[in-house]
Amino acid sequence: MILTVTMNPAYDMTYRVERFERGQAHRVRSVEQRIGGKGINVTRVLNQLGKYARATGFADHAFAAAAELEMPVDFVHALPWVRRTVVISESDDGTATALWEPGARVSNPHAAEQLSIRVAGLLPDINGLVISGSLPGGIDPGLPAEIARIAVEAGVPTICDVDGEALRLAAEVPGVVLMPNTEELERLTGLAPVTPDEVVHAVRPLLERGVRAVIATRGAEGMIAITPEGAWVAGLPEVLAGNPTGAGDSAAAAVIATLSEHGEADWPAILADAVATSSAAVVIPVAGEIDRCLRTRIAPTVVVEKLSTAQPTTA
């Protein structure tokens, strides 16, 4: 089983319009609401990839009940209410505009401890862990790192896809895999890498401190995997247009799906699969879904190149 942790879940609202114009009234063609949050999205994609996944984190009773109708869940009921995220999807050219509510504040002083205990209790039954998304108010940013450390020490492959102070603290956990996007990587390293070689240079200090791997997701520019063994850049020959919301979650699902099965990681193959899976998510208007036929079709076309500047790093 693979476990996902979503500490700040959401109800994902998708409004489809012909073309969105700021300051104008719009006739909405269709509306879709579903349970969401980054870890929830990862769980959905894992299920589409044929992996058994369970979701945990914080929620209120209504959200947990709705989630249980769709997937195995084990939430800590610590939120007074669950936020919404709104995506305005344009059928004209596939452009998506997102509005993210901040979420409720956790008032239960024991919520973090309850979640840590819940994850620790499941560790003997899981072979992969993904901690992703933002944190609600009232939760210490060190909680993702704390949970990741417990999992890694138990021998469970662990991905942290978080941001800000939570990401900085997670980067101090030996053996963890990080999956920052461009903006998150800049905040983490204090640098603004543009080229793949600059990304490798920015990430090397993290590897020297024990991080297992960093997979930098760069939107239309593809992804870069940096490990102690080397670094690789991967992308499609032609970029697919669509809704990028959830593409990073799909990439995380692809990475943990492979890491959960194999002791030794074939990072070029993992990177190629992550690019194909995230690209198969872009063409779907809602997050947490992939076009499996498209994924299979484009996987052989992903171009992976080893970066010559990426010399092995020794801890």
Side-chain angles (χ1 to χ4, degrees):
M1 180 177 70
I2 297 174
L3 185 67
T4 68
V5 180
T6 306
M7 299 189 192
N8 199 15
Y11 291 103
D12 288 341
M13 307 289 298
T14 301
Y15 292 92
R16 295 186 180 88
V17 300
E18 185 69 26
R19 181 177 179 81
F20 180 72
E21 296 184 21
R22 184 170 176 266
Q24 300 296 316
H26 299 80
R27 187 174 297 278
V28 178
R29 301 179 64 179
S30 65
V31 180
E32 181 171 341
Q33 174 178 297
R34 59 192 338 213
I35 60 166
K38 290 179 68 64
I40 296 293
N41 294 338
V42 173
T43 304
R44 281 197 180 101
V45 176
L46 282 168
N47 290 333
Q48 287 186 277
L49 296 177
K51 303 296 181 182
Y52 176 64
R54 178 180 293 271
T56 188
F58 299 126
D60 63 4
H61 289 278
F63 186 93
E68 194 170 11
L69 295 174
E70 182 180 343
M71 63 186 67
V73 299
D74 192 6
F75 282 103
V76 174
H77 298 159
L79 294 175
W81 49 271
V82 171
R83 67 192 177 117
R84 293 174 300 174
T85 62
V86 178
V87 173
I88 303 171
S89 179
E90 301 180 48
S91 59
D92 185 34
D93 59 3
T95 300
T97 303
L99 301 172
W100 297 344
E101 294 181 2
R105 183 177 183 84
V106 173
S107 56
N108 179 357
H110 305 294
E113 181 183 6
Q114 290 171 353
L115 181 58
S116 293
I117 292 173
R118 190 156 301 186
V119 173
L122 291 169
L123 288 179
D125 301 318
I126 68 174
N127 56 355
L129 175 68
V130 179
I131 307 167
S132 54
S134 60
L135 275 61
I139 294 299
D140 190 286
L143 182 58
E146 175 187 331
I147 294 175
R149 191 180 302 275
I150 294 171
V152 171
E153 290 177 353
V156 176
T158 300
I159 293 174
C160 275
D161 184 8
V162 291
D163 192 13
E165 181 67 2
L167 178 57
R168 187 189 70 79
L169 294 171
E172 301 293 332
V173 178
V176 74
V177 176
L178 306 178
M179 294 191 64
N181 60 30
T182 299
E183 293 77 18
E184 292 164 350
L185 184 61
E186 290 180 4
R187 287 189 285 270
L188 174 61
T189 63
L191 302 172
V194 176
T195 68
D197 289 344
E198 290 173 345
V199 172
V200 174
H201 174 75
V203 163
R204 274 179 177 162
L206 303 177
L207 302 181
E208 292 168 358
R209 294 201 294 270
V211 169
R212 181 181 181 183
V214 176
I215 300 180
T217 58
R218 291 156 55 86
E221 297 180 35
M223 301 180 194
I224 303 173
I226 308 98
T227 76
E229 295 77 32
W232 299 263
V233 59
L236 289 175
E238 295 184 9
V239 178
L240 298 177
N243 177 16
T245 306
D249 303 328
S250 298
V255 173
I256 199 63
T258 302
L259 292 180
S260 67
E261 290 183 345
H262 305 286
E264 295 297 326
D266 182 349
W267 291 107
I270 290 174
L271 191 62
D273 187 37
V275 169
T277 306
S278 64
S279 298
V282 169
V283 299
I284 304 295
V286 295
E289 302 285 344
I290 61 171
D291 184 327
R292 286 179 289 180
C293 292
L294 176 64
R295 173 177 176 263
T296 301
R297 190 165 67 250
I298 65 176
T301 71
V302 176
V303 178
V304 182
E305 297 179 2
K306 185 167 186 177
L307 297 173
S308 60
T309 59
Q311 300 300 321
T313 301
T314 57

